[in-house]
PDB file of all heavy atoms in Angstrom:
ATOM      1  N   ALA T 295     120.917 124.027  30.781  1.00 92.00           N
ATOM      2  CA  ALA T 295     119.696 124.791  30.665  1.00 92.00           C
ATOM      3  C   ALA T 295     119.873 126.001  29.797  1.00 92.00           C
ATOM      4  O   ALA T 295     119.082 126.396  28.980  1.00 92.00           O
ATOM      5  CB  ALA T 295     119.202 125.183  32.058  1.00 92.00           C
ATOM      6  N   VAL T 296     121.054 126.642  29.889  1.00 91.00           N
ATOM      7  CA  VAL T 296     121.375 127.851  29.116  1.00 91.00           C
ATOM      8  C   VAL T 296     121.540 127.453  27.651  1.00 91.00           C
ATOM      9  O   VAL T 296     121.011 128.192  26.780  1.00 91.00           O
ATOM     10  CB  VAL T 296     122.650 128.503  29.690  1.00 91.00           C
ATOM     11  CG1 VAL T 296     123.151 129.492  28.720  1.00 91.00           C
ATOM     12  CG2 VAL T 296     122.302 129.188  31.059  1.00 91.00           C
ATOM     13  N   VAL T 297     122.196 126.352  27.374  1.00 90.00           N
ATOM     14  CA  VAL T 297     122.415 125.984  25.943  1.00 90.00           C
ATOM     15  C   VAL T 297     121.133 125.531  25.325  1.00 90.00           C
ATOM     16  O   VAL T 297     121.059 125.670  24.107  1.00 90.00           O
ATOM     17  CB  VAL T 297     123.559 124.900  25.924  1.00 90.00           C
ATOM     18  CG1 VAL T 297     123.716 124.387  24.544  1.00 90.00           C
ATOM     19  CG2 VAL T 297     124.883 125.461  26.446  1.00 90.00           C
ATOM     20  N   ALA T 298     120.187 125.094  26.086  1.00 90.00           N
ATOM     21  CA  ALA T 298     118.893 124.654  25.518  1.00 90.00           C
ATOM     22  C   ALA T 298     118.177 125.836  24.908  1.00 90.00           C
ATOM     23  O   ALA T 298     117.307 125.731  23.964  1.00 90.00           O
ATOM     24  CB  ALA T 298     118.035 124.027  26.526  1.00 90.00           C
ATOM     25  N   GLN T 299     118.489 127.110  25.358  1.00 85.00           N
ATOM     26  CA  GLN T 299     117.882 128.301  24.811  1.00 85.00           C
ATOM     27  C   GLN T 299     118.419 128.547  23.442  1.00 85.00           C
ATOM     28  O   GLN T 299     119.479 128.167  23.067  1.00 85.00           O
ATOM     29  CB  GLN T 299     118.226 129.537  25.625  1.00 85.00           C
ATOM     30  CG  GLN T 299     117.650 129.513  27.060  1.00 85.00           C
ATOM     31  CD  GLN T 299     118.131 130.606  27.838  1.00 85.00           C
ATOM     32  OE1 GLN T 299     118.749 131.550  27.395  1.00 85.00           O
ATOM     33  NE2 GLN T 299     117.858 130.591  29.171  1.00 85.00           N
ATOM     34  N   GLN T 300     117.593 129.131  22.582  1.00 84.00           N
ATOM     35  CA  GLN T 300     117.987 129.421  21.202  1.00 84.00           C
ATOM     36  C   GLN T 300     119.178 130.403  21.119  1.00 84.00           C
ATOM     37  O   GLN T 300     119.025 131.485  21.821  1.00 84.00           O
ATOM     38  CB  GLN T 300     116.756 129.949  20.419  1.00 84.00           C
ATOM     39  CG  GLN T 300     116.956 130.040  19.012  1.00 84.00           C
ATOM     40  CD  GLN T 300     117.118 128.786  18.235  1.00 84.00           C
ATOM     41  OE1 GLN T 300     116.555 127.754  18.802  1.00 84.00           O
ATOM     42  NE2 GLN T 300     117.725 128.713  17.119  1.00 84.00           N
ATOM     43  N   GLY T 301     120.136 130.229  20.380  1.00 85.00           N
ATOM     44  CA  GLY T 301     121.168 131.158  20.124  1.00 85.00           C
ATOM     45  C   GLY T 301     122.292 131.181  21.183  1.00 85.00           C
ATOM     46  O   GLY T 301     123.127 132.085  21.102  1.00 85.00           O
ATOM     47  N   LYS T 302     122.312 130.355  22.157  1.00 90.00           N
ATOM     48  CA  LYS T 302     123.310 130.357  23.205  1.00 90.00           C
ATOM     49  C   LYS T 302     124.379 129.295  22.965  1.00 90.00           C
ATOM     50  O   LYS T 302     124.002 128.190  22.533  1.00 90.00           O
ATOM     51  CB  LYS T 302     122.755 130.127  24.575  1.00 90.00           C
ATOM     52  CG  LYS T 302     121.763 131.255  25.039  1.00 90.00           C
ATOM     53  CD  LYS T 302     122.480 132.352  25.544  1.00 90.00           C
ATOM     54  CE  LYS T 302     121.451 133.347  26.107  1.00 90.00           C
ATOM     55  NZ  LYS T 302     121.998 134.508  26.760  1.00 90.00           N
ATOM     56  N   THR T 303     125.606 129.584  23.251  1.00 91.00           N
ATOM     57  CA  THR T 303     126.630 128.568  23.090  1.00 91.00           C
ATOM     58  C   THR T 303     127.697 128.760  24.213  1.00 91.00           C
ATOM     59  O   THR T 303     127.720 129.796  24.825  1.00 91.00           O
ATOM     60  CB  THR T 303     127.349 128.617  21.673  1.00 91.00           C
ATOM     61  OG1 THR T 303     128.204 127.544  21.567  1.00 91.00           O
ATOM     62  CG2 THR T 303     127.994 129.952  21.519  1.00 91.00           C
ATOM     63  N   ILE T 304     128.596 127.851  24.347  1.00 93.00           N
ATOM     64  CA  ILE T 304     129.580 127.885  25.385  1.00 93.00           C
ATOM     65  C   ILE T 304     130.923 127.849  24.646  1.00 93.00           C
ATOM     66  O   ILE T 304     131.173 126.892  23.948  1.00 93.00           O
ATOM     67  CB  ILE T 304     129.480 126.762  26.388  1.00 93.00           C
ATOM     68  CG1 ILE T 304     128.086 126.676  26.986  1.00 93.00           C
ATOM     69  CG2 ILE T 304     130.538 126.958  27.526  1.00 93.00           C
ATOM     70  CD1 ILE T 304     127.798 125.469  27.814  1.00 93.00           C
ATOM     71  N   VAL T 305     131.792 128.819  24.816  1.00 94.00           N
ATOM     72  CA  VAL T 305     133.010 128.896  24.239  1.00 94.00           C
ATOM     73  C   VAL T 305     134.178 129.012  25.211  1.00 94.00           C
ATOM     74  O   VAL T 305     134.055 129.640  26.260  1.00 94.00           O
ATOM     75  CB  VAL T 305     133.106 130.085  23.159  1.00 94.00           C
ATOM     76  CG1 VAL T 305     132.205 129.881  22.014  1.00 94.00           C
ATOM     77  CG2 VAL T 305     132.840 131.376  23.850  1.00 94.00           C
ATOM     78  N   PRO T 306     135.337 128.400  24.922  1.00 95.00           N
ATOM     79  CA  PRO T 306     136.514 128.559  25.808  1.00 95.00           C
ATOM     80  C   PRO T 306     137.141 129.946  25.513  1.00 95.00           C
ATOM     81  O   PRO T 306     137.350 130.337  24.359  1.00 95.00           O
ATOM     82  CB  PRO T 306     137.435 127.432  25.343  1.00 95.00           C
ATOM     83  CG  PRO T 306     137.093 127.120  23.997  1.00 95.00           C
ATOM     84  CD  PRO T 306     135.625 127.395  23.868  1.00 95.00           C
ATOM     85  N   LEU T 307     137.444 130.632  26.524  1.00 95.00           N
ATOM     86  CA  LEU T 307     138.065 131.987  26.489  1.00 95.00           C
ATOM     87  C   LEU T 307     139.559 132.003  26.707  1.00 95.00           C
ATOM     88  O   LEU T 307     140.287 132.730  26.025  1.00 95.00           O
ATOM     89  CB  LEU T 307     137.372 132.933  27.443  1.00 95.00           C
ATOM     90  CG  LEU T 307     135.884 133.114  27.235  1.00 95.00           C
ATOM     91  CD1 LEU T 307     135.310 133.943  28.339  1.00 95.00           C
ATOM     92  CD2 LEU T 307     135.570 133.690  25.906  1.00 95.00           C
ATOM     93  N   LYS T 308     139.993 131.254  27.711  1.00 94.00           N
ATOM     94  CA  LYS T 308     141.427 131.267  28.110  1.00 94.00           C
ATOM     95  C   LYS T 308     141.762 129.978  28.755  1.00 94.00           C
ATOM     96  O   LYS T 308     140.984 129.331  29.472  1.00 94.00           O
ATOM     97  CB  LYS T 308     141.599 132.465  29.041  1.00 94.00           C
ATOM     98  CG  LYS T 308     142.951 132.664  29.562  1.00 94.00           C
ATOM     99  CD  LYS T 308     143.165 133.972  30.293  1.00 94.00           C
ATOM    100  CE  LYS T 308     142.373 134.049  31.561  1.00 94.00           C
ATOM    101  NZ  LYS T 308     142.761 135.227  32.404  1.00 94.00           N
ATOM    102  N   VAL T 309     143.045 129.525  28.601  1.00 94.00           N
ATOM    103  CA  VAL T 309     143.555 128.331  29.249  1.00 94.00           C
ATOM    104  C   VAL T 309     144.776 128.818  30.005  1.00 94.00           C
ATOM    105  O   VAL T 309     145.652 129.624  29.537  1.00 94.00           O
ATOM    106  CB  VAL T 309     143.986 127.236  28.231  1.00 94.00           C
ATOM    107  CG1 VAL T 309     144.720 126.037  29.024  1.00 94.00           C
ATOM    108  CG2 VAL T 309     142.843 126.754  27.485  1.00 94.00           C
ATOM    109  N   TYR T 310     144.842 128.430  31.315  1.00 94.00           N
ATOM    110  CA  TYR T 310     145.913 128.857  32.192  1.00 94.00           C
ATOM    111  C   TYR T 310     146.160 127.857  33.207  1.00 94.00           C
ATOM    112  O   TYR T 310     145.460 126.823  33.341  1.00 94.00           O
ATOM    113  CB  TYR T 310     145.549 130.232  32.803  1.00 94.00           C
ATOM    114  CG  TYR T 310     144.275 130.212  33.505  1.00 94.00           C
ATOM    115  CD1 TYR T 310     144.143 130.009  34.910  1.00 94.00           C
ATOM    116  CD2 TYR T 310     143.037 130.480  32.885  1.00 94.00           C
ATOM    117  CE1 TYR T 310     142.943 129.978  35.530  1.00 94.00           C
ATOM    118  CE2 TYR T 310     141.895 130.497  33.561  1.00 94.00           C
ATOM    119  CZ  TYR T 310     141.808 130.224  34.853  1.00 94.00           C
ATOM    120  OH  TYR T 310     140.581 130.141  35.511  1.00 94.00           O
ATOM    121  N   LEU T 311     147.306 128.012  33.988  1.00 92.00           N
ATOM    122  CA  LEU T 311     147.661 127.056  35.069  1.00 92.00           C
ATOM    123  C   LEU T 311     147.281 127.743  36.365  1.00 92.00           C
ATOM    124  O   LEU T 311     147.542 128.963  36.567  1.00 92.00           O
ATOM    125  CB  LEU T 311     149.127 126.733  35.037  1.00 92.00           C
ATOM    126  CG  LEU T 311     149.653 125.951  33.831  1.00 92.00           C
ATOM    127  CD1 LEU T 311     151.113 125.731  33.909  1.00 92.00           C
ATOM    128  CD2 LEU T 311     148.955 124.535  33.817  1.00 92.00           C
ATOM    129  N   LYS T 312     146.743 126.927  37.265  1.00 92.00           N
ATOM    130  CA  LYS T 312     146.431 127.410  38.591  1.00 92.00           C
ATOM    131  C   LYS T 312     146.884 126.331  39.563  1.00 92.00           C
ATOM    132  O   LYS T 312     146.349 125.204  39.563  1.00 92.00           O
ATOM    133  CB  LYS T 312     144.893 127.697  38.673  1.00 92.00           C
ATOM    134  CG  LYS T 312     144.486 128.340  40.027  1.00 92.00           C
ATOM    135  CD  LYS T 312     143.007 128.694  39.938  1.00 92.00           C
ATOM    136  CE  LYS T 312     142.565 129.444  41.168  1.00 92.00           C
ATOM    137  NZ  LYS T 312     141.142 129.712  41.097  1.00 92.00           N
ATOM    138  N   ARG T 313     147.845 126.630  40.379  1.00 91.00           N
ATOM    139  CA  ARG T 313     148.426 125.772  41.362  1.00 91.00           C
ATOM    140  C   ARG T 313     148.824 124.446  40.646  1.00 91.00           C
ATOM    141  O   ARG T 313     148.606 123.340  41.221  1.00 91.00           O
ATOM    142  CB  ARG T 313     147.509 125.455  42.524  1.00 91.00           C
ATOM    143  CG  ARG T 313     147.426 126.682  43.398  1.00 91.00           C
ATOM    144  CD  ARG T 313     146.524 126.383  44.627  1.00 91.00           C
ATOM    145  NE  ARG T 313     145.212 126.737  44.197  1.00 91.00           N
ATOM    146  CZ  ARG T 313     144.154 126.150  44.692  1.00 91.00           C
ATOM    147  NH1 ARG T 313     144.201 125.113  45.436  1.00 91.00           N
ATOM    148  NH2 ARG T 313     142.892 126.505  44.228  1.00 91.00           N
ATOM    149  N   GLY T 314     149.357 124.513  39.485  1.00 87.00           N
ATOM    150  CA  GLY T 314     149.826 123.375  38.732  1.00 87.00           C
ATOM    151  C   GLY T 314     148.823 122.605  37.870  1.00 87.00           C
ATOM    152  O   GLY T 314     149.212 121.681  37.197  1.00 87.00           O
ATOM    153  N   PHE T 315     147.560 123.004  38.024  1.00 91.00           N
ATOM    154  CA  PHE T 315     146.484 122.351  37.254  1.00 91.00           C
ATOM    155  C   PHE T 315     146.060 123.180  36.067  1.00 91.00           C
ATOM    156  O   PHE T 315     145.994 124.450  36.222  1.00 91.00           O
ATOM    157  CB  PHE T 315     145.325 122.037  38.167  1.00 91.00           C
ATOM    158  CG  PHE T 315     145.545 121.138  39.285  1.00 91.00           C
ATOM    159  CD1 PHE T 315     145.777 121.521  40.522  1.00 91.00           C
ATOM    160  CD2 PHE T 315     145.708 119.733  39.001  1.00 91.00           C
ATOM    161  CE1 PHE T 315     146.028 120.669  41.590  1.00 91.00           C
ATOM    162  CE2 PHE T 315     145.920 118.814  40.048  1.00 91.00           C
ATOM    163  CZ  PHE T 315     146.158 119.310  41.287  1.00 91.00           C
ATOM    164  N   ALA T 316     145.790 122.573  35.012  1.00 92.00           N
ATOM    165  CA  ALA T 316     145.320 123.274  33.784  1.00 92.00           C
ATOM    166  C   ALA T 316     143.805 123.639  33.990  1.00 92.00           C
ATOM    167  O   ALA T 316     142.994 122.797  34.350  1.00 92.00           O
ATOM    168  CB  ALA T 316     145.429 122.432  32.527  1.00 92.00           C
ATOM    169  N   LYS T 317     143.534 124.941  33.755  1.00 94.00           N
ATOM    170  CA  LYS T 317     142.093 125.392  33.968  1.00 94.00           C
ATOM    171  C   LYS T 317     141.715 126.154  32.669  1.00 94.00           C
ATOM    172  O   LYS T 317     142.587 126.666  31.968  1.00 94.00           O
ATOM    173  CB  LYS T 317     142.032 126.437  35.079  1.00 94.00           C
ATOM    174  CG  LYS T 317     142.455 125.906  36.474  1.00 94.00           C
ATOM    175  CD  LYS T 317     141.421 125.057  37.031  1.00 94.00           C
ATOM    176  CE  LYS T 317     141.839 124.632  38.450  1.00 94.00           C
ATOM    177  NZ  LYS T 317     140.888 123.763  39.024  1.00 94.00           N
ATOM    178  N   VAL T 318     140.453 126.062  32.357  1.00 96.00           N
ATOM    179  CA  VAL T 318     139.952 126.724  31.175  1.00 96.00           C
ATOM    180  C   VAL T 318     138.878 127.653  31.665  1.00 96.00           C
ATOM    181  O   VAL T 318     138.014 127.354  32.499  1.00 96.00           O
ATOM    182  CB  VAL T 318     139.472 125.861  30.085  1.00 96.00           C
ATOM    183  CG1 VAL T 318     138.318 124.923  30.544  1.00 96.00           C
ATOM    184  CG2 VAL T 318     139.083 126.539  28.826  1.00 96.00           C
TER     185      VAL T 318
END
Side-chain angles (χ1 to χ4, degrees):
V296 166
V297 173
Q299 297 175 8
Q300 187 71 24
K302 298 280 185 173
T303 187
I304 308 169
V305 293
L307 303 173
K308 180 168 69 167
V309 175
Y310 54 94
L311 292 176
K312 187 174 183 182
R313 288 182 273 145
F315 295 103
K317 302 285 184 179
V318 62

